[in-house]
Amino acid sequence: MNKVGRFGEFGGQYVPETVMNAVHELEAAYDKYKDDPDFKAELAALYKDYANRPSMLYYAKHMTEDLGGAKVYIKREDLNHTGAHKINNVLGQILLAKRMGKKRIIAETGAGQHGVATATVCALMGLECCVYMGEEDTKRQSLNVYRMELLGAKVVPVSSGTCTLKDAINEAMRDWCTNIETTFYCIGSVMGPHPYPEMVRDFQKIVGEEIKAELMEREGRLPDCVVACVGGGSNAMGAFYDFIPDTSVRLVGAEAAGRGINTADTAATLSCGSVGIFHGMKSMFLQDKFGQIAPVYSISAGLDYPGIGPEHANLWKTGRAEYVAVTDEEAVCAFEYLSKTEGIIPAIESAHAVSAAMKIAPTMGKEQIIVINLSGRGDKDVYSVARYRGHNIENS
């Protein structure tokens, strides 16, 4: 990052004046506490004793043998408390919110995993919680809606626009504008105005740090390739960040192609997007020639965001990371493959990364190593995949 809040040309703070004070307040608080020994010690204790870190690095023996190429390791973020990587960031942000004296936490969620993590930590810390979720996503992820409500959160369905993640973020930002004094907006990905992309990355970078340490212990060397799914990009940024200086390590992000990048039903930002400004940041977005944000589609409620975090945009532009598009059908096939091959049911988001790795691993040598960041577990997606495959299962 060559200047505050920027990753090359991307990033920044493109927010209304009414929000700028809150953004500056957050920036000052994060700068104060991010290197504070007491803050870091409390967060480390929560990671260990509450979130179940470090998460396991699992050698996928059957997958390795079946694909016939590189050794396949899987970083098991699905084994974290709440079932995804989201808890890493939420613990950090809500710990910061408490230091700032905030009593109310708001969040947006797509697949529901960030919402569940936020509701969980609010329950732990005794804070009011309100989660905005696109109406379409509340139907696709009804299990997670109930989980959030069970944890004491208020879930607000958003019926504007495409009724998905983009619209949930819009409503959360409107709420934040009118309740700045009491409210902390816990953003779930490496997106939004500075300091969010940097802050969320810093709370997620433990994933890559653990991969590096665990693999050095197991194999005595770095991986040759790290693969992660990308919507806004928090799990991928967490997995990639510690390896950015290690140029021998190939970094691959798997975007949601939906029904294909040659159709309108896609969410593959770096395959189909262009530079724009949205949700407080300059990055790459799916938009028309007038800069109007396009409706997007993916079977994955967690990846159907029409943009990508600014640090990912810079990694893509500089060539340090590459981004591939994975269709719904490919993701569902990977969901089924990992379930049957290793007995691990991945989140449909994570299945995009599994699909990309299934293509890459056979092209690599047997002495090489590929790591898949399995960002979440797939309980929430079983009904959706069953329906996709034509099974008559009631989601009740």
Side-chain angles (χ1 to χ4, degrees), residues 107-123:
E108 84 295 327
T109 198
Q113 291 301 95
H114 175 61
V116 167
T118 304
T120 298
V121 180
C122 284

Side-chain angles (χ1 to χ4, degrees), residues 42 46 50 90-91 94-95 97-99 101-106 117-130 151-153 182:
E42 187 172 358
L46 286 166
Y50 193 71
V90 171
L91 282 168
I94 294 183
L95 206 56
K98 288 203 76 170
R99 293 288 203 285
K102 304 296 183 181
K103 305 297 184 186
R104 177 175 179 263
I105 307 296
I106 61 172
T118 304
T120 298
V121 180
C122 284
L124 175 70
M125 297 190 181
L127 296 171
E128 181 184 348
C129 181
C130 177
L151 290 157
T182 60

